[in-house]
């Protein structure tokens, strides 16, 4: 037994338990992959034109889209990252659950319905309505692709960690191969199934994720006789931190820098969802504004219930497992939920534990595949519709050429995501998603809100806001502890982190809004007030919407 395994026997036993039941685990994974591929091929045969590929033919009901929106939103960050953050940092990890839930409400109140009424396939459609088409669509396409790739990193990292745990893969090469496999599946889902296939996969995944989360939540509560006080007390005692585990400050309160990091994280989480391209394009898949509202109501209920359960998952993992076991399995805590499932099912070596581990891990894998498909579709659609069709081809591309461009963009984005995901495999997936939220809130949200609600907004303001927010957020991330200077960084042995915060939102989000305002005031272009009036009526009433 190695020193690492001697110190953390649960991890070794998890690997041994998994190896004993590996045929079962592989069968479950294979069943899900085959089922989703079947759905994708079936949907692909019904994808006839660009409307089908980008928006599923706008044929989904409010309930179906609400389920798919939930499936798109409840990512690996929610299931793996938040549970791990709570298990290691208690109250401060729980802030992710609150942030993701509140963020969803902001998206609904400010953006969802006006955007659905104003656009056709992408965020660029809305921005280009009253601005100069080519520069604004280029900026919107670039921003969508960067945000999607940041989010894809989190999903790839989660997939690598999860499948490595189950299959007992410890080598870096093996983990990279897993990331490559996820990337390959993602490319197949999008190129064959388009939005129809992706939506059906997301619906199936949402049902599986909720069912799996309900099951493990029930079993954890049953273990503690449905006594939340007992559960939290055991978690605090088992964590080695005592009462401090249940109080603010374990991760974000030790220094003034960590307190600022917490404020930065909070701003990014609350404002980020309203700028996430893969969430925004979901509202183009329903036929009417009424159906969009209905899908939003369903999504609120499903997402709200799920985030309440992540609290039990995280504190349950802290109560059942030792912190050292979680860290030994994955430095960032991403395997806390699967390890808790193994333990609650009867422990290592037990059939019940292995079955529960396999089921929960298969659900998490389903989550990853569905979300990466949605992200890839959002970015490839934006490239094909905004950049290829409207900028490169100047509106002269046929629908067939546009869809072909989207499929080639999917392959390119998949390759980039595989490369970056391999580097990010030891980072906490919830933290990585928070970075995507910060970039979305810095580059996309100011431009969307100004376009919809400020008549003085100009093309120059849009470009300054998108490129300024995008450049500042990405630059600050590159020179932050996320990339270098810490054991959990992407490059732990390097040190070029001059920006002290792990999330750039505190600086880059206000900067994005400021640049949009300043660029418009300094612009010599006269805003088209007639176009603004048209957009206002369209966004608020849905009259003339596609």
């Amino acid at each position: 037994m190695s020193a690492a395994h001697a110190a953390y026997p649960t991890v070794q036993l998890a690997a041994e338990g998994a190896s004993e039941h590996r045929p079962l685990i592989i069968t479950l994974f294979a069943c899900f992959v085959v089922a989703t591929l079947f759905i994708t091929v079936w949907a692909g045969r019904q994808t006839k034109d660009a409307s089908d590929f980008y928006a599923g033919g706008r044929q989904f009901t409010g309930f179906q889209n609400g389920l798919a929106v939930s499936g798109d939103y409840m990512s690996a960050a929610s299931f793996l990252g938040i549970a791990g953050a709570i298990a290691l940092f208690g109250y401060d990890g729980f802030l992710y659950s609150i942030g993701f839930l509140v963020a969803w409400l902001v998206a609904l109140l400010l953006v969802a319905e006006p955007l659905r009424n104003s656009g056709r396939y992408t965020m660029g459609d809305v921005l280009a309505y009253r601005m100069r088409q080519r520069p604004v669509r280029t900026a919107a396409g670039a921003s969508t692709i960067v945000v999607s790739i940041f989010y894809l990193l989190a999903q790839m990292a989660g997939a690598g960690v999860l499948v490595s745990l189950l299959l007992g893969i410890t080598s870096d090469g093996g983990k990279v191969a897993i990331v490559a496999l996820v990337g390959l599946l993602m490319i197949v889902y999008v190129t064959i199934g388009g939005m129809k296939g992706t939506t059906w996969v997301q619906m199936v995944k949402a049902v599986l994720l909720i069912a799996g989360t309900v099951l493990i939540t029930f079993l954890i509560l049953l273990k503690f006789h449905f006594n939340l006080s007992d559960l939290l007390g055991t978690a605090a005692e088992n964590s080695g931190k005592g009462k401090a585990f249940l109080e603010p400050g374990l991760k974000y309160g030790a220094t003034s820098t960590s307190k600022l990091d917490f404020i930065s994280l909070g701003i990014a989480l609350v404002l980020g969802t309203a700028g996430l391209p893969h969430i925004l394009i979901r509202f183009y898949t329903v036929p009417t504004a009424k159906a969009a509202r209905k899908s939003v109501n369903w999504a609120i209920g499903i997402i709200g219930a799920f985030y309440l359960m992540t609290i039990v998952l995280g504190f349950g993992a802290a109560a059942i497992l030792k912190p050292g076991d979680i860290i030994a399995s994955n430095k960032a805590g991403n395997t806390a939920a699967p390890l808790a499932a193994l333990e609650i099912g009867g422990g290592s070596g037990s059939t019940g534990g292995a079955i529960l581990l396999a089921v929960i891990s298969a659900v998490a894998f389903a989550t990853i595949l569905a979300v990466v498909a949605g992200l890839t579709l959002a970015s490839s659609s934006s490239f094909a519709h905004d950049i290829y069709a409207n900028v490169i081809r100047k509106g002269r591309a046929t629908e067939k050429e546009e869809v072909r461009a989207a499929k080639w963009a999917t392959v390119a984005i998949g390759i980039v995501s595989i490369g970056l995901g391999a580097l990010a495999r030891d980072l906490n997936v919830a933290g990585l998603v928070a970075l995507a939220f910060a970039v979305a809130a810095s580059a996309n949200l100011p431009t969307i809100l100004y376009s919809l609600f400020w008549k003085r907004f100009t093309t120059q303001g849009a470009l300054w806001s998108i490129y300024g927010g995008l450049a500042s957020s990405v630059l600050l991330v590159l020179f932050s502890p996320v990339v270098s200077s810490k054991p959990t960084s992407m490059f732990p042995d390097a040190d070029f982190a001059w920006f002290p915060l792990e999330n750039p939102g505190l600086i880059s989000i206000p900067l994005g809004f400021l640049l949009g305002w300043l660029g418009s005031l300094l612009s010599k272009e006269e805003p088209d007030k007639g176009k603004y009036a048209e957009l206002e009526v369209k966004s608020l009433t849905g009259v003339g919407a596609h």
Side-chain angles (χ1 to χ4, degrees):
M1 187 185 293
S2 69
H5 281 152
Y8 305 114
T10 301
V11 181
Q12 185 191 33
L13 289 170
E16 288 170 0
S19 65
E20 282 177 30
H21 299 85
R22 196 150 289 151
L24 169 70
I25 292 166
I26 292 170
T27 302
L28 272 170
F29 267 70
C31 285
F32 176 76
V33 170
V34 169
T36 51
L37 285 173
F38 175 79
I39 291 168
T40 303
V41 171
W42 166 77
R45 286 180 178 169
Q46 298 180 43
T47 300
K48 310 289 184 204
D49 55 23
S51 175
D52 287 336
F53 187 84
Y54 292 139
R58 305 187 203 282
Q59 295 169 352
F60 292 100
T61 65
F63 171 68
Q64 286 175 327
N65 193 48
L67 203 55
V69 167
S70 307
D72 221 352
Y73 192 69
M74 299 181 303
S75 68
S78 305
F79 193 64
L80 301 175
I82 293 177
I86 294 173
L88 295 180
F89 301 107
Y91 182 93
D92 281 11
F94 152 70
L95 294 169
Y96 279 104
S97 290
I98 300 301
F100 282 132
L101 183 54
V102 173
W104 181 235
L105 299 176
V106 173
L108 300 183
L109 294 171
L110 290 177
V111 170
E113 194 177 329
L115 205 72
R116 155 69 185 78
N117 292 340
S118 309
R120 191 176 178 202
Y121 298 136
T122 66
M123 180 182 77
D125 287 337
V126 179
L127 305 183
Y129 192 82
R130 47 182 289 234
M131 310 288 174
R132 293 201 313 276
Q133 287 253 348
R134 294 181 72 191
V136 168
R137 283 191 184 276
T138 303
S143 177
T144 296
I145 291 166
V146 172
V147 171
S148 298
I149 285 175
F150 262 98
Y151 215 122
L152 278 167
L153 281 185
Q155 312 309 315
M156 296 296 201
V161 163
L162 189 69
V163 184
S164 300
L165 173 76
L166 284 175
L167 302 185
I169 294 169
T170 54
S171 69
D172 286 343
K175 291 176 183 177
V176 170
I178 291 162
V179 170
L181 174 66
V182 173
L184 186 65
L185 283 169
M186 161 182 96
I187 291 166
V188 169
Y189 286 157
V190 176
T191 52
I192 295 176
M195 178 57 91
K196 280 189 176 177
T198 299
T199 301
W200 280 105
V201 169
Q202 284 164 343
M203 281 193 267
V204 170
K205 165 258 163 136
V207 171
L208 288 174
L209 182 60
I210 288 292
T213 310
V214 166
L215 174 64
I216 195 167
T217 299
F218 174 78
L219 291 173
I220 287 171
L221 289 174
L222 183 66
K223 184 177 176 70
F224 292 92
H225 309 291
F226 296 91
N227 186 328
L228 275 176
S229 179
D230 190 19
L231 169 63
L232 294 174
T234 307
E237 186 182 338
N238 203 39
S239 71
K241 306 288 192 310
K243 199 176 169 187
F245 191 71
L246 303 178
E247 296 174 350
L250 203 58
K251 181 174 172 63
Y252 295 113
T255 63
S256 55
T257 302
S258 64
K259 287 175 184 174
L260 284 174
D261 222 343
F262 165 64
I263 296 168
S264 194
L265 171 70
I267 294 170
L269 291 181
V270 170
L271 297 179
T273 301
L276 289 174
H278 71 296
I279 298 296
L280 300 178
I281 65 166
R282 286 242 52 91
F283 293 104
Y284 296 133
T285 64
V286 288
T288 63
K290 184 179 178 183
R293 282 195 298 274
K294 192 178 284 187
S295 65
V296 158
N297 292 336
W298 276 108
I300 287 175
I302 296 166
I303 290 166
F306 173 77
Y307 281 114
L308 284 174
M309 290 189 286
T310 60
I311 299 168
V312 177
L313 282 183
F315 283 110
I320 295 164
L321 306 165
K322 291 183 174 63
D325 291 346
I326 298 169
I327 294 166
S329 174
N330 178 255
K331 292 177 198 170
N334 293 324
T335 52
L339 288 173
L342 174 73
E343 198 64 32
I344 207 79
S348 301
S350 68
T351 303
I355 290 172
L356 203 54
L357 172 67
V359 167
I360 294 303
S361 299
V363 165
F365 193 64
T367 297
I368 290 163
L369 289 177
V371 174
V372 296
L375 285 161
T376 310
L377 184 63
S379 47
S380 61
S381 297
S382 188
F383 172 81
H385 184 62
D386 292 323
I387 297 175
Y388 175 75
N390 285 288
V391 176
I392 298 172
R393 295 296 303 277
K394 301 177 184 175
R396 292 193 295 268
T398 64
E399 284 197 347
K400 196 172 181 181
E401 288 172 334
E402 205 174 310
V403 171
R404 191 188 305 128
K407 290 180 177 181
W408 278 112
T410 299
V411 174
I413 289 160
I415 291 167
V416 171
S417 302
I418 289 166
L420 292 174
L423 290 172
R425 61 186 178 275
D426 286 332
L427 302 180
N428 182 278
V429 290
L432 279 172
V433 164
L435 295 181
F437 273 54
V439 178
S442 307
N444 295 349
L445 183 62
T447 323
I448 292 169
L449 293 181
Y450 282 146
S451 281
L452 291 172
F453 303 115
W454 187 31
K455 69 173 73 172
R456 182 73 185 78
F457 196 44
T458 65
T459 301
Q460 180 172 292
L463 298 178
W464 282 29
S465 184
I466 291 177
Y467 287 128
L470 194 62
S472 61
S473 53
V474 172
L475 194 69
L476 291 175
V477 168
L478 286 175
F479 293 102
S480 76
V482 170
V483 175
S484 71
S485 82
K486 288 174 67 177
T488 53
S489 299
M490 195 177 282
F491 300 104
D493 298 327
D495 187 0
F496 45 86
W498 51 260
F499 182 66
L501 306 182
E502 292 191 10
N503 193 292
L506 189 62
I507 307 294
S508 60
I509 296 171
L511 188 63
F513 278 98
L514 177 65
L515 288 170
W517 171 77
L518 192 62
S520 296
L521 289 188
L522 297 178
S523 173
K524 292 175 183 174
E525 175 190 351
E526 196 61 39
D528 188 334
K529 291 179 181 173
K531 278 282 190 184
Y532 173 74
E534 282 178 33
L535 183 65
E536 188 175 33
V537 171
K538 195 175 175 183
S539 68
L540 295 175
T541 65
V543 173
H546 291 279

